[in-house]
Amino acid sequence: MIVVVGSKGYLGSKVIAILKKTFVNVIEYEKIVKFHKLIYPTYIIYLKKPNKDIKNFKIILKKFLSQNPKLKFLYISSLSVYGLSATDKIINLNSKFNPQSEYGLIKIEEETYLNKIKLVYKKFQPIIIRCPTIYSNHYDNQHKIFNFLLKLNIPLPLNIPSNKRSYLLLENFLDFIVHIIKNNTKYNEFLICEKKNLSTSSIIKNFKTINKSNSKLFYVNYKLLKFIFSLINKKHIVKKMYGNFQINPTLSFKKSKWLPKKM
């Protein structure tokens, strides 16, 4: 049985849909809790947004391990463990963690606990996937603010063609999860993204097409924008828009025997 924790979120709902088309015995964790079902899961897909502490994460994990000590646990982590998404260094699986947000710190804490509890449950099989921003070519994507502004045809200061950022297409994210389960992939860590990096402008232009928007993208001097946002303590937003943030997925592609199929 495959259980999805965090099935009510955007990614969780997409994961549930694709798994139910591909496998039998797929259920949302939220339904288990609601109806007090006793189950013996084989696979857990963990997409739940972290709380300020990992107490609830520990409870959920220990509960499932008590039902199946050989549990396979697919944990969806984030590149935020490496920082606030602005660096000129290309990140790989050997890169050191450098969290600069509460979200990144909690993700590291949950990852660390997975590796720690594996020392107790020797047959426990956690798999950690660190993903960049996941985007979709469909109108029902998770970038609601951009969609809202573009539908209003509001000009945006996002004409930034020179930066390079790693992204992951939703369909490829879902395909990777199915691939991991079908191939019974063993304990490992993965960095997954598209084969080619994109600029901020190229992603926004993609959203423009989806929303049939006439919004104009214009350029604003980076130092000026950084100064303006620093006044409201939001300097990290400018770094995220203008900065580079690339990962090298070559080793992960090799270890998982998987490559992105769609662009």
Side-chain angles (χ1 to χ4, degrees):
M1 176 176 284
I2 302 172
V3 178
V4 178
V5 182
S7 60
K8 300 300 181 183
Y10 173 79
L11 289 179
S13 64
K14 302 297 181 184
V15 168
I16 275 288
I18 194 69
L19 291 181
K20 286 187 174 180
K21 289 180 181 178
T22 314
F23 305 99
V24 296
N25 293 328
V26 178
I27 190 169
E28 299 97 316
Y29 172 72
E30 289 71 19
K31 287 186 177 179
I32 298 171
V33 174
K34 183 176 180 180
F35 297 107
H36 304 287
K37 289 185 177 181
L38 180 63
I39 63 165
Y40 296 91
T42 304
Y43 231 112
I44 302 294
I45 315 294
Y46 195 90
L47 292 137
K48 190 175 179 64
K49 186 177 180 179
N51 296 318
K52 290 185 177 181
D53 62 61
I54 67 167
K55 182 179 179 180
N56 192 49
F57 175 77
K58 291 179 179 180
I59 291 172
I60 291 173
L61 180 57
K62 286 183 177 179
K63 177 181 178 180
F64 284 133
L65 280 170
S66 68
Q67 296 168 352
N68 180 9
K70 299 179 181 179
L71 183 70
K72 298 179 179 69
F73 193 93
L74 187 56
Y75 178 79
I76 310 302
S77 189
S78 166
L79 291 191
S80 62
V81 299
Y82 298 109
L84 281 175
S85 69
T87 176
D88 290 324
K89 295 181 180 180
I90 297 177
I91 292 166
N92 57 52
L93 285 171
N94 295 318
S95 297
K96 292 183 179 180
F97 288 158
N98 183 32
Q100 297 172 30
S101 66
E102 185 178 53
Y103 183 81
L105 284 167
I106 295 173
K107 282 292 185 182
I108 291 174
E109 196 174 350
E110 290 181 346
E111 284 194 28
T112 302
Y113 186 73
L114 284 175
N115 290 315
K116 181 180 177 180
I117 205 166
K118 191 178 185 304
L119 298 176
V120 179
Y121 294 86
K122 303 293 185 181
K123 295 183 179 180
F124 175 47
Q125 299 180 49
I127 297 171
I128 297 170
I129 303 174
R130 301 188 192 107
C131 303
T133 298
I134 297 174
Y135 74 100
S136 170
N137 287 326
H138 302 287
Y139 68 91
D140 66 333
N141 59 57
Q142 59 181 333
H143 303 282
K144 294 180 180 179
I145 295 177
F146 280 131
N147 291 336
F148 175 75
L149 295 174
L150 288 169
K151 284 177 181 178
L152 294 176
N153 294 319
I154 294 176
L156 299 173
L158 294 173
N159 185 8
I160 315 165
S162 59
N163 68 336
K164 295 180 180 179
R165 303 184 65 82
S166 294
Y167 290 91
L168 181 60
L169 186 64
L170 174 64
E171 286 80 359
N172 286 328
F173 170 72
L174 297 175
D175 184 71
F176 183 72
I177 289 179
V178 170
H179 173 86
I180 290 294
I181 298 173
K182 277 187 173 181
N183 289 274
N184 196 28
T185 301
K186 304 299 181 184
Y187 167 70
N188 229 315
E189 297 178 2
F190 299 103
L191 286 174
I192 298 300
C193 66
E194 299 302 312
K195 290 186 232 181
K196 293 182 180 180
N197 295 314
L198 301 170
S199 68
T200 300
S201 294
S202 62
I203 283 291
I204 298 301
K205 287 175 181 177
N206 179 66
F207 294 158
K208 279 184 62 177
T209 301
I210 294 169
N211 290 285
K212 298 179 181 179
S213 172
N214 293 318
S215 178
K216 301 295 183 183
L217 304 184
F218 62 93
Y219 175 79
V220 176
N221 180 272
Y222 173 73
K223 290 183 179 179
L224 174 61
L225 204 61
K226 187 177 177 182
F227 171 73
I228 293 171
F229 274 77
S230 67
L231 296 176
I232 57 174
N233 199 28
K234 297 290 184 181
K235 191 166 56 176
H236 66 279
I237 294 177
V238 182
K239 289 184 178 181
K240 191 170 184 178
M241 291 191 301
Y242 278 73
N244 297 319
F245 200 61
Q246 304 173 78
I247 62 176
N248 183 350
T250 304
L251 182 58
S252 293
F253 289 163
K254 184 178 179 180
K255 290 196 298 183
S256 63
K257 298 179 182 178
W258 176 88
L259 287 172
K261 296 177 181 178
K262 296 183 178 181
M263 278 294 287

